[in-house]
């Protein structure tokens, strides 16, 4: 069983920063990646960043250079540092987990693809005003 709990959302002005956290509770350690998705009203959910157990990362082009994903394995927490925020970054941000079979190669890519996600968090709202 896996539980993902997000925190850190809020309201900021354009140009500001926020750091989101995703606490991962899992019954045993397995190869996996953790991703951050966002969904704006009326739009599809978009995978913006992912990180695998080996520290490999992937980002959507729209956030490269502004958002940074990282993890603290001891705390079982994944972070999304968001700088230079824009109004178009507004949306509900979800943490997601993809677990790999023992024989499968590790990659952060599936953690930006909704169809591959095994577990979702409940989401945290980010609002960026102009």
């Amino acid at each position: 069983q896996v539980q993902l709990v997000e925190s850190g959302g809020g309201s900021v002005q354009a140009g500001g920063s926020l750091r989101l956290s995703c606490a991962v509770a899992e019954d045993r350690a397995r190869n996996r990646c953790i991703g951050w998705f966002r969904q704006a009203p009326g739009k599809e959910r978009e995978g913006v960043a992912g990180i695998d157990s080996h520290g490999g990362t992937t980002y959507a082009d729209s956030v490269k250079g502004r958002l940074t994903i990282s993890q603290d394995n001891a705390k079982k927490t994944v972070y999304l540092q968001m700088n230079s925020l824009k109004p178009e970054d507004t949306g509900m941000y979800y943490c997601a987990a993809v677990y790999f079979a023992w024989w499968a190669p590790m990659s952060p890519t599936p953690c930006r693809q909704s169809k591959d996600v095994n577990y979702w968090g409940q989401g945290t709202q980010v609002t960026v005003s102009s």
Side-chain angles (χ1 to χ4, degrees):
Q1 188 70 358
V2 175
Q3 288 188 324
L4 307 172
V5 180
E6 302 98 330
S7 61
S11 297
V12 295
Q13 291 192 327
S17 297
L18 282 173
R19 188 177 80 158
L20 306 183
S21 298
C22 173
V24 183
E26 52 195 355
D27 53 353
R28 56 188 176 90
R30 287 173 282 173
N31 286 339
R32 55 149 164 85
C33 62
I34 299 291
W36 285 97
F37 289 74
R38 68 184 178 195
Q39 188 166 23
K43 294 190 176 181
E44 290 189 358
R45 194 170 293 190
E46 172 193 21
V48 296
I51 187 166
D52 65 32
S53 299
H54 295 165
T57 59
T58 178
Y59 296 93
D61 288 342
S62 59
V63 306
K64 282 180 181 176
R66 300 188 301 116
L67 274 58
T68 303
I69 191 169
S70 62
Q71 61 190 354
D72 183 329
N73 290 327
K75 294 182 178 180
K76 289 195 172 183
T77 302
V78 174
Y79 303 99
L80 186 67
Q81 178 67 44
M82 303 191 296
N83 299 327
S84 303
L85 283 164
K86 305 175 181 180
E88 51 264 42
D89 293 318
T90 294
M92 186 69 79
Y93 281 70
Y94 298 90
C95 179
V98 174
Y99 283 82
F100 299 94
W102 64 269
W103 45 262
M106 187 70 62
S107 170
T109 301
C111 274
R112 281 186 47 220
Q113 300 172 166
S114 294
K115 64 179 180 63
D116 293 326
V117 172
N118 300 122
Y119 299 94
W120 293 96
Q122 83 286 353
T124 185
Q125 178 68 36
V126 172
T127 303
V128 184
S129 57
S130 57

